[in-house]
Amino acid sequence: MRLNTLGHRLCTVSGLALAMASAPAFAQDAGTPAPAAETGQAAGETEIFVTAQKREQRLIDVPVAINTMSADAIADRGISDLQQFSYAVPGLVLRYDGPGSSQVFLRGAANIRGSDAMVATYMDEVPVTLTGGFRQVDLRMLDIDRIEVLKGPQGTLYGQGAMTGTVRFVTKDPDLKEVTGFAKADYSLIDQGSDNLRLSGALSIPIVTDVLAVRVAGNLEDGGGWIDQPAAGIKNGNNQNIRNFRGKILFKPSSDFDMTGTIGLYRMSSEFGIDYENPDRTRPVPVSPDYDLLPSRKDRAWIYNLTANYHLDFATITSSSSYVRLNRDYYTTYIAGPGTPYTVENEGYDGIHDRARQFTQELRLTSSGSGPLQYTVGVYYRDARSDLYDTGISYYAGGTYPFVYEDLDTSKSWSGFADLSYRITSRLTLGAGVRTFSDDVTQWNGGTTTQKANFKSTDPRFYFTYALNPKWNLYGNISRGFRSGGFNAAGLPPYNPEKLTNFELGTKGITAGGALQFDIDAFYSKYDDALRTGQFFNFDGGGGFVSLTRNIGELEIYGIEASLNWAVTRGFHLSGMAALTHSEVTKLAIQSGESTNVEVGDPGDYAPEVTFSVAADYDFDIAPNIAGFAHADFSYRDKTCASDSSILVPRIQCSDTVPLLNARIGATFSQVKVELYATNLTNENRQVDPYQAWQQSSRTKPRTIGIALSHDF
């Protein structure tokens, strides 16, 4: 990097630091807990509240396994995107090709095939996973209040895309009373890579006190790459240029009515389309010189939402209208590596132009008060469309084979849902929920045939909670998740929907005077009609093998999960999360003459057996007006494996194990926080995805050392 560029960036950081140091304090730190006398809690106790069931509840009262992470914990771990977040949450795994190209999996139930997501991702009330499951808006940690990870089927309240769970990004709302916000500058250096500058901030202003307020947040990021492609003369080709903004306006003319409007805009560009890399931190080098001419990646996303609440004496009526657009222009490569049987050139690239949009409307009625009967009932509508246009070239044994492929998909679905619980005694609450769903889907893949189908499902949920005491609950639930079927190429049979039935038993509590919070659960899931893509003999097509996605049989998944937060002393805190998961193919539904390259006893895809994450935080006084802090965290993820006989490689491919150590130390003075941090402190260089035979796996980000300056007001 040129010295004048480095000097310019350092001046920018220094200037922002001076501005933050001189900024007035408009309000107390929003993270300061209320005195115990005001909350009725024991001294030192801070209960966690979530909105996972679309109403505010204590975390220990929700009959679902949930991992939550606050904004402070996210910042302490240096988490900036969903991939980094996944290492901190056991059981959460991404099929990750690079920023904006990922699929989310939970609890050992994973499938890269299919018509929709297996895990729903939300930003507040907005579903941001679009059709196909791989169209995931690249949410960054911008002005986040917390993230909630709901494990197990959540279809009753979150629909078919929540077959195995839901991830909720909860962002900060405007403050109707005071001016609040933050400003932050973050500068880092990547081992054998480029520097990275991130500027972020938020400002909340009450326009009319107690009635109207706005909050705007944004971040700018430049750099952060480390992957080279020497044959093309490219250095740090996965540098990212990010512009990410969000605005929220809150209007509350009376205690009975409030309305929140949200606009989100996201732009990202990078020289590399996908972040595949070799162990030496270079891109796989192709034979063809055409790769030198591939264009840079450009992602654009637009998020719009209007949510209104009308509060009756007995319930709240909520309307949420959302519109999301996602445009991506990128390229992906495949190069036959040593794990394939090819001894001649076999490679290629796809230049992908992907356009997707989605409108959703939800209307629900949620009970209020603390009576024995609690309920949420509603209706939901989704109109989604995606258009993928792919132009590429395949190279085989010296031959050049250009191709064009287009795929147009639509989905119009509606559903009705209800969830009711009743407190039988002061200790025992029973509940049940159901969602009925209908999805009209079409596909046109560039030929003359449009394929159409309707997929329907009615999926129940039953649960209970039992209070051993006011701070310790037992819970259990039985739930079923659903994912629509879809299409193969014209003339080949479609595939049927998938279902997952989950049985779960757990306990949550707060003990030791509020110093210890815990959540332990065990689960068993039966995954029916799981999809795989393989080579199948086409009887109806006159013979011969074709690549076909179909339902291959059943998997059984079971495991134990636990999380713990312990305030050892007033200034010393320990936390940890862990998951033991076993996922296995138990039954195949294969006809004579067909092959799947999957066998009974195979592990489930993207299902690490052991995952855990631990963290330690220590707060101390350096001087009367200077507070110091130190943080360290370590995460470990077992290898993940995948089977896919459509690409002619060994039957099962596996990633590496992924151990990551991060640390941070700093001080707060004059309302300015200064932090020195390191991520991947031991500089692990691990393959994070199983698909390495065609050189299609990304790797862990190298050791990164940085400094951050921030000011909350």
Side-chain angles (χ1 to χ4, degrees):
M1 182 183 60
R2 292 177 300 179
L3 290 177
N4 61 341
T5 303
L6 176 58
H8 173 73
R9 292 186 177 182
L10 289 174
C11 289
T12 301
V13 174
S14 301
L16 184 59
L18 291 173
M20 291 188 293
S22 61
F26 292 99
Q28 290 182 344
D29 183 356
T32 303
E38 296 181 13
T39 63
Q41 298 170 197
E45 178 179 325
T46 303
E47 282 198 297
I48 300 173
F49 287 82
V50 296
T51 52
Q53 297 198 120
K54 302 197 174 182
R55 63 161 59 90
E56 187 174 80
Q57 296 173 282
R58 295 189 309 169
L59 177 62
I60 66 172
D61 292 331
V62 181
V64 172
I66 302 177
N67 292 133
T68 64
M69 191 171 292
S70 68
D72 288 341
I74 291 168
D76 287 341
R77 290 173 177 263
I79 295 171
S80 62
D81 57 28
L82 189 57
Q83 167 71 346
Q84 294 173 337
F85 178 75
S86 70
Y87 294 126
V89 179
L92 179 64
V93 178
L94 265 63
R95 159 61 175 157
Y96 182 77
D97 292 320
S101 298
S102 61
Q103 291 173 274
V104 187
F105 306 125
L106 270 169
R107 275 188 171 177
N111 212 319
I112 66 170
R113 311 298 177 183
S115 60
D116 217 313
M118 300 188 74
V119 175
T121 305
Y122 276 70
M123 188 191 79
D124 298 326
E125 291 280 348
V126 186
V128 295
T129 303
L130 286 74
T131 58
F134 59 89
R135 294 183 175 95
Q136 175 75 52
V137 175
D138 186 21
L139 295 181
R140 300 292 172 126
M141 305 301 160
L142 173 63
D143 204 26
I144 296 292
D145 181 73
R146 67 185 182 277
I147 298 179
E148 302 173 359
V149 180
L150 290 65
K151 297 182 175 180
Q154 305 297 325
T156 302
L157 294 177
Y158 292 98
Q160 71 140 337
M163 176 175 157
T164 61
T166 298
V167 178
R168 300 184 66 241
F169 286 67
V170 181
T171 67
K172 293 183 179 179
D173 287 325
D175 192 318
L176 289 169
K177 295 183 179 297
E178 298 178 300
V179 175
T180 62
F182 76 93
K184 184 174 184 178
D186 188 311
Y187 180 79
S188 60
L189 293 170
I190 301 172
D191 184 69
Q192 298 183 13
S194 72
D195 66 334
N196 184 206
L197 175 64
R198 284 182 287 181
L199 304 176
S200 58
L203 178 64
S204 179
I205 302 176
I207 306 301
V208 179
T209 302
D210 293 328
V211 176
L212 180 67
V214 296
R215 187 178 185 96
V216 292
N219 79 280
L220 309 176
E221 183 172 349
D222 189 21
W226 66 88
I227 305 174
D228 303 333
Q229 193 168 28
I234 297 175
K235 184 77 172 174
N236 304 323
N238 61 325
N239 275 334
Q240 297 177 51
N241 183 284
I242 295 174
R243 304 292 181 263
N244 191 14
F245 301 96
R246 183 171 61 247
K248 299 179 76 172
I249 181 168
L250 173 61
F251 178 52
K252 190 176 181 180
S254 70
S255 60
D256 297 330
F257 179 77
D258 62 80
M259 183 167 59
T260 303
T262 302
I263 297 177
L265 302 173
Y266 172 81
R267 301 289 184 272
M268 190 274 285
S269 62
S270 179
E271 193 166 9
F272 286 161
I274 297 292
D275 285 356
Y276 302 147
E277 59 179 306
N278 295 317
D280 63 356
R281 301 297 189 183
T282 64
R283 280 295 299 269
V285 179
V287 175
S288 170
D290 294 343
Y291 290 76
D292 299 347
L293 306 176
L294 295 179
S296 62
R297 178 176 186 137
K298 295 186 182 299
D299 287 12
R300 286 92 61 207
W302 300 260
I303 298 174
Y304 306 95
N305 175 261
L306 183 64
T307 297
N309 297 291
Y310 185 70
H311 305 280
L312 305 170
D313 291 338
F314 62 92
T316 297
I317 301 173
T318 299
S319 171
S320 176
S321 307
S322 301
Y323 180 75
V324 179
R325 282 181 58 198
L326 177 62
N327 291 356
R328 303 185 301 175
D329 298 288
Y330 64 102
Y331 62 91
T332 181
T333 61
Y334 59 93
I335 302 171
T340 65
Y342 297 99
T343 58
V344 296
E345 177 192 18
N346 188 7
E347 61 183 50
Y349 68 84
D350 296 69
I352 296 173
H353 305 277
D354 193 15
R355 303 290 181 266
R357 60 109 177 117
Q358 177 173 282
F359 170 78
T360 59
Q361 173 64 51
E362 181 169 311
L363 184 66
R364 64 179 184 266
L365 180 71
T366 304
S367 59
S368 57
S370 58
L373 177 65
Q374 298 291 314
Y375 56 85
T376 298
V377 296
V379 292
Y380 179 85
Y381 173 76
R382 183 180 83 155
D383 183 352
R385 174 190 175 101
S386 61
D387 188 355
L388 186 146
Y389 186 75
D390 179 0
T391 59
I393 299 177
S394 293
Y395 304 91
Y396 182 73
T400 300
Y401 306 95
F403 64 86
V404 175
Y405 174 78
E406 185 171 7
D407 181 82
L408 174 63
D409 297 283
T410 67
S411 169
K412 293 185 178 181
S413 63
W414 67 269
S415 58
F417 59 91
D419 191 277
L420 297 88
S421 65
Y422 192 81
R423 190 169 63 246
I424 305 296
T425 70
S426 60
R427 293 177 180 267
L428 177 64
T429 298
L430 300 180
V434 67
R435 191 181 193 103
T436 184
F437 170 85
S438 178
D439 187 14
D440 290 314
V441 297
T442 68
Q443 182 190 66
W444 179 83
N445 59 8
T448 59
T449 302
T450 298
Q451 302 184 80
K452 299 180 180 181
N454 175 262
F455 299 104
K456 296 181 179 180
S457 183
T458 298
D459 301 299
R461 175 193 181 205
F462 305 95
Y463 59 92
F464 78 90
T465 60
Y466 183 80
L468 297 173
N469 62 52
K471 303 293 185 181
W472 187 3
N473 283 347
L474 297 177
Y475 68 92
N477 72 75
I478 303 172
S479 55
R480 189 169 71 182
F482 168 85
R483 185 165 71 146
S484 282
F487 305 104
N488 287 286
L492 297 175
Y495 51 85
N496 296 322
E498 301 163 279
K499 289 185 180 290
L500 185 137
T501 304
N502 181 67
F503 303 85
E504 185 173 322
L505 186 65
T507 182
K508 303 180 185 183
I510 304 173
T511 187
L516 187 64
Q517 302 183 25
F518 60 89
D519 185 346
I520 304 170
D521 71 89
F523 69 92
Y524 169 83
S525 299
K526 184 181 179 183
Y527 180 8
D528 294 317
D529 292 320
L531 295 177
R532 291 291 187 274
T533 296
Q535 302 297 318
F536 295 89
F537 194 82
N538 184 14
F539 292 99
D540 296 332
F545 284 90
V546 295
S547 181
L548 184 73
T549 298
R550 62 154 292 173
N551 309 91
I552 59 97
E554 299 176 0
L555 283 80
E556 289 186 356
I557 309 164
Y558 54 87
I560 299 175
E561 302 164 326
S563 64
L564 181 73
N565 289 279
W566 181 22
V568 183
T569 66
R570 185 176 183 84
F572 182 45
H573 296 258
L574 296 174
S575 61
M577 293 182 280
L580 300 175
T581 307
H582 179 80
S583 179
E584 181 180 348
V585 177
T586 56
K587 184 184 295 185
L588 292 178
I590 303 303
Q591 300 177 14
S592 176
E594 297 179 334
S595 78
T596 62
N597 220 20
V598 179
E599 297 178 0
V600 170
D602 282 353
D605 288 357
Y606 290 90
E609 291 187 352
V610 178
T611 51
F612 67 86
S613 175
V614 293
D617 291 275
Y618 181 56
D619 298 324
F620 53 93
D621 291 329
I622 299 175
N625 295 318
I626 302 176
F629 59 90
H631 168 90
D633 64 80
F634 177 77
S635 62
Y636 173 86
R637 192 183 79 188
D638 234 341
K639 66 180 181 180
T640 61
C641 300
S643 59
D644 189 343
S645 64
S646 67
I647 54 177
L648 301 177
V649 294
R651 191 166 63 83
I652 297 176
Q653 302 179 81
C654 296
S655 73
D656 295 331
T657 59
V658 181
L660 293 173
L661 176 64
N662 307 311
R664 182 175 299 257
I665 190 169
T668 301
F669 57 93
S670 299
Q671 298 179 324
V672 174
K673 180 186 289 186
V674 181
E675 305 168 81
L676 180 67
Y677 66 88
T679 60
N680 191 6
L681 195 59
T682 56
N683 208 16
E684 301 294 335
N685 182 355
R686 304 295 182 101
Q687 176 185 301
V688 302
D689 197 88
Y691 282 89
Q692 39 80 23
W694 287 91
Q695 303 189 52
Q696 290 185 322
S697 177
S698 55
R699 306 185 72 85
T700 50
K701 183 179 179 179
R703 179 172 52 228
T704 302
I705 298 175
I707 185 171
L709 308 174
S710 60
H711 174 59
D712 294 335
F713 54 86

